[in-house]
Amino acid sequence: MNRIAAITDPAALLLAIATARLALHRPDAGLAGMAPDALVAAEDSLIETLAGSDAPLARLARAAQLSAFDLDLLGLALLPALDDRAAEAVEALARARRLTAGRAARLLLPEAHDAAALRHALRESPLWRSGLLRAPDPAQPAAERRLDPTPALLAALDGALPERTTEGWIAQMLPEAGGEAGSLAPLAEAIARWATQPDPPLLLLDAARPERAAEALGLAASLRGGAAVLLHAPPGPHPAPPWSEAGVIAAATGALVALIVEGEVPGPAMAPLGPVAAIGAEAIAGRLVPRRHLAVPPPRMSEQRARWRAARPDLTPPEADALAAQSWMAEADIAAIAGAAERPDPDALLAARMQVAPPRAAKLATLRHPTVPWDRLVLEGETAALLEQIVHRVRHRATVRESWGMASGGAALVGLLTGEPGTGKTLAVEAMARRLGLPLLAADLSRVVSKYIGETEKNLAELFAAAEGFSALLFFDEADALFGKRTAVNDAHDRYANIEVNYLLQRLERFEGAVLLATNLAEGMDEAFARRFEVIVPFRKPGRAQRLALWQAHLPEPLRAPGLDLDALAASCEVTGGEIRNAAITAAYAAAARGERIGAGLLRAALAQEFAKAGRPLPHGLAGPQR
């Protein structure tokens, strides 16, 4: 009796009782037994200890409302997982490393027990429904359920987080929140109030960027004087969210726990044991559990500006404004990027961002680190001025929209680049991305557009979220294929094609970043997009002066043969910048094969090849010796 009285930890006492019960049936196993009166005293002591203790097991027992029978089953479930000698005894007794519920009941109850009452007790036991034991097959008889503790329970008894849940979800403790709460203060306070309710409902945090919702969760945890935990789905096809195990973590540790969910997922079958939130949760199916929905507010650019200035005091006010206007970034990412950048200029910050804060997987787009310098563009005056206007609109959004209060319309900057192929639209987009210090996310329309109903909208939602989450310049080439005109509804195909365009219109209104579209057929774009284009940039075929500049840029002087007259070539041959680039490269390969510099004959042959590809007649004056 004295030994039992000395045990103050509920988990240790529970295991001691389970060991004694197992020793009654395996006296040869060398397990510590108890006299019958000591066993009864230990059980009474356990119930009393659980009622007044703040240990993890006590928290869980109260939250799950475990009965004495449930506690006996739980002890027999935990014992083989924590004691090798007990595991050997169980295996000798049941020929398995884990007892079934029926076999455990036979160890606990006298032969004359009520079989129907036992089956009812096992069916209704919260051990499985609450996430303390691994969930059985729904069709499995109650007596055949295995007493198999979940990773969340085993870690909780040690005051730790599981590396992974039963289904492979990864647990991550969020760092303590620092700095000012800013625009997240009201949301953090609402989350903290929600978590203190006696039976908090499942909380849905509607956020385009999980990182911002996680920041709000961390702030709420700091208000409560506790911690916050995130659960991430494993790579590949996502299994069902571990609602119950998340509740076990929350109840045992007192932490706020959130799951980052994507796409449509099933909701929990019962309320989790502790406060659990879902981030990005508008697609949770089922209504079995009461819910509360909170929207994560969009970030203020002034907050972003202050974070950048704190991380890089050498930033000038215009540079800090430009960085704040790009898009929201987590405080930890800003600190890491600012610390890794050698200089505060856009090129250095972009290189640091690609190293220390890599983008989320974007299977629907190609992520590019833009390398085209701004001075490589050869454009006419109107086109160059309009591109400058796009750059100014991205850089100075913080000033105009927040400081000056002129935030009309949506938060996105949407620009349209129009013109014939080869006039430099894609090159200009890459040059703008580099000048702004933004990664370029080029949509792959072959993967975005799906023949299955509703899939295109899901793909677009993922694409826009990726661009927002990584502060990328989102680019749609050949945009008329996706942003085309709506048509009269004659069949189901027309109806769903129109739905896609409607979705795009709505998503552009909510997008918080910069989107550029390029098309060769501006007349094919839906008219409803026209008012959403803040800037429309025409790209025309280059004139004589521009063609000369392009020839000079693509053919450095040391590579030109003596007597090569680029001015005459620019005057006699009307070609686009893309054709000039292709011809220069073709001529360069031919010259390298001959071991000579690039001459007029090789350029004529290369240009003839370009004209033949386009099905155009060769201009008069290009005929001559092919050297």
Side-chain angles (χ1 to χ4, degrees):
M1 180 62 188
N2 290 336
R3 183 174 64 84
I4 296 299
I7 301 177
T8 58
D9 177 56
L13 189 52
L14 179 70
L15 293 176
I17 293 171
T19 302
R21 288 194 176 280
L22 189 59
L24 292 175
H25 298 271
R26 292 291 304 177
D28 58 337
L31 300 174
M34 291 186 198
D37 58 338
L39 188 57
V40 172
E43 291 174 334
D44 292 340
S45 178
L46 175 63
I47 298 299
E48 183 179 346
T49 302
L50 289 174
S53 171
D54 198 41
L57 178 62
R59 288 170 172 261
L60 291 171
R62 291 194 296 269
Q65 298 181 343
L66 299 183
S67 66
F69 177 64
D70 294 324
L71 288 169
D72 280 333
L73 289 178
L74 183 61
L76 291 174
L78 289 170
L79 191 60
L82 302 176
D83 186 324
D84 288 341
R85 183 175 293 180
E88 292 172 0
V90 166
E91 190 164 14
L93 191 67
R95 297 181 182 178
R97 299 287 289 183
R98 297 287 186 269
L99 291 169
T100 63
R103 188 61 184 263
R106 286 197 292 274
L107 299 181
L108 299 171
L109 300 174
E111 292 294 332
H113 66 265
D114 186 335
L118 173 61
R119 289 194 297 271
H120 177 77
L122 291 177
R123 279 196 303 270
E124 298 303 317
S125 173
L127 289 173
W128 291 275
R129 291 184 289 113
S130 63
L132 297 173
L133 302 184
R134 295 179 192 258
D137 181 347
Q140 188 178 37
E144 294 181 11
R145 296 176 182 174
R146 290 165 59 85
L147 301 184
D148 196 1
T150 61
L153 172 61
L154 292 174
L157 294 181
D158 292 330
L161 292 179
E163 292 186 5
R164 292 176 181 267
T165 68
T166 301
E167 298 295 337
W169 286 60
I170 303 166
Q172 170 198 0
M173 180 75 75
L174 289 178
E176 291 187 11
E180 296 294 327
S183 60
L184 288 176
L187 176 63
E189 292 169 0
I191 295 173
R193 287 194 300 271
W194 156 79
T196 58
Q197 297 178 31
D199 295 302
L202 175 66
L203 177 65
L204 310 184
L205 290 175
D206 187 1
R209 290 176 295 273
E211 297 88 352
R212 182 159 172 82
E215 189 173 329
L217 202 75
L219 289 168
S222 67
L223 291 176
R224 301 175 68 234
V229 175
L230 279 187
L231 290 174
H232 303 264
H238 294 173
W243 302 112
S244 297
E245 284 187 84
V248 170
I249 295 171
T253 63
L256 292 176
V257 180
L259 291 79
I260 299 179
V261 298
E262 296 182 9
E264 185 171 339
V265 296
M270 64 173 290
L273 294 183
V276 173
I279 297 175
E282 68 277 1
I284 290 181
R287 297 183 178 276
L288 296 179
V289 177
R291 305 177 183 184
R292 184 172 180 191
H293 194 121
L294 293 176
V296 179
R300 294 175 187 162
M301 288 181 248
S302 57
E303 296 170 6
Q304 293 292 95
R305 181 197 298 119
R307 289 176 174 181
W308 279 109
R309 290 298 299 272
R312 287 297 299 233
D314 55 343
L315 285 170
T316 64
E319 288 171 337
D321 281 355
L323 288 167
Q326 287 180 358
S327 186
W328 179 85
M329 294 188 72
E331 186 173 11
D333 286 341
I334 289 177
I337 293 167
E342 297 179 1
R343 307 174 307 280
D345 61 82
D347 272 354
L349 288 167
L350 175 59
R353 178 181 301 181
M354 300 296 280
Q355 291 173 6
V356 304
R360 56 187 291 182
K363 63 181 180 181
L364 304 169
T366 301
L367 185 80
R368 302 179 194 167
H369 186 161
T371 58
V372 176
W374 187 257
D375 56 12
R376 183 176 164 186
L377 299 181
V378 178
L379 304 167
E380 64 174 1
E382 179 190 6
T383 301
L386 289 170
L387 291 180
E388 284 282 355
Q389 191 178 130
I390 291 177
V391 172
H392 294 329
R393 284 174 178 260
V394 174
R395 279 184 171 174
H396 300 294
R397 284 197 306 163
T399 300
V400 174
R401 290 181 177 273
E402 286 195 357
S403 300
W404 295 359
M406 299 177 67
S408 60
L413 180 140
V414 186
L416 176 66
L417 283 56
T418 68
E420 295 184 23
T423 50
K425 300 185 293 297
T426 303
L427 195 73
V429 169
E430 188 166 345
M432 276 193 289
R434 177 176 175 182
R435 185 173 172 187
L436 292 167
L438 291 172
L440 182 61
L441 198 63
D444 185 345
L445 295 186
S446 67
R447 296 185 178 185
V448 172
V449 179
S450 172
K451 65 180 180 180
Y452 298 105
I453 294 173
E455 283 299 311
T456 299
E457 290 86 340
K458 288 183 181 179
N459 293 340
L460 286 168
E462 180 180 340
L463 185 60
F464 277 104
E468 284 176 327
F470 192 57
S471 306
L473 179 62
L474 184 57
F475 176 49
F476 290 91
D477 201 1
E478 308 293 344
D480 49 281
L482 188 59
F483 296 76
K485 290 183 178 180
R486 286 167 289 188
T487 62
V489 177
N490 296 318
D491 55 28
H493 180 271
D494 293 335
R495 177 170 176 265
Y496 286 106
N498 290 346
I499 289 175
E500 292 172 7
V501 175
N502 292 338
Y503 174 81
L504 273 170
L505 290 166
Q506 296 170 8
R507 192 61 181 85
L508 284 176
E509 291 282 0
R510 294 185 288 111
F511 183 64
E512 296 174 11
V515 187
L516 293 180
L517 290 72
T519 180
N520 306 329
L521 299 169
E523 62 275 10
M525 303 288 287
D526 193 284
E527 295 176 359
F529 288 107
R531 69 180 180 85
R532 289 169 172 80
F533 296 137
E534 296 190 47
V535 184
I536 299 178
V537 186
F539 281 72
R540 301 181 179 90
K541 285 187 176 182
R544 175 176 175 174
Q546 293 161 349
R547 290 197 296 271
L548 176 59
L550 287 166
W551 280 118
Q552 291 170 339
H554 286 287
L555 292 172
E557 189 170 358
L559 301 181
R560 303 175 205 161
L564 178 60
D565 189 351
L566 293 183
D567 186 55
L569 186 62
S572 62
C573 186
E574 294 184 5
V575 285
T576 66
E579 289 170 331
I580 289 173
R581 177 200 59 205
N582 292 343
I585 292 174
T586 300
Y589 276 113
R594 296 185 180 191
E596 60 186 45
R597 289 190 284 180
I598 302 170
L602 294 179
L603 278 178
R604 292 191 191 101
L607 281 168
Q609 184 175 322
E610 289 301 308
F611 275 82
K613 285 194 297 185
R616 293 155 54 196
L618 196 65
H620 183 70
L622 279 187
Q626 307 299 300
R627 284 186 57 81

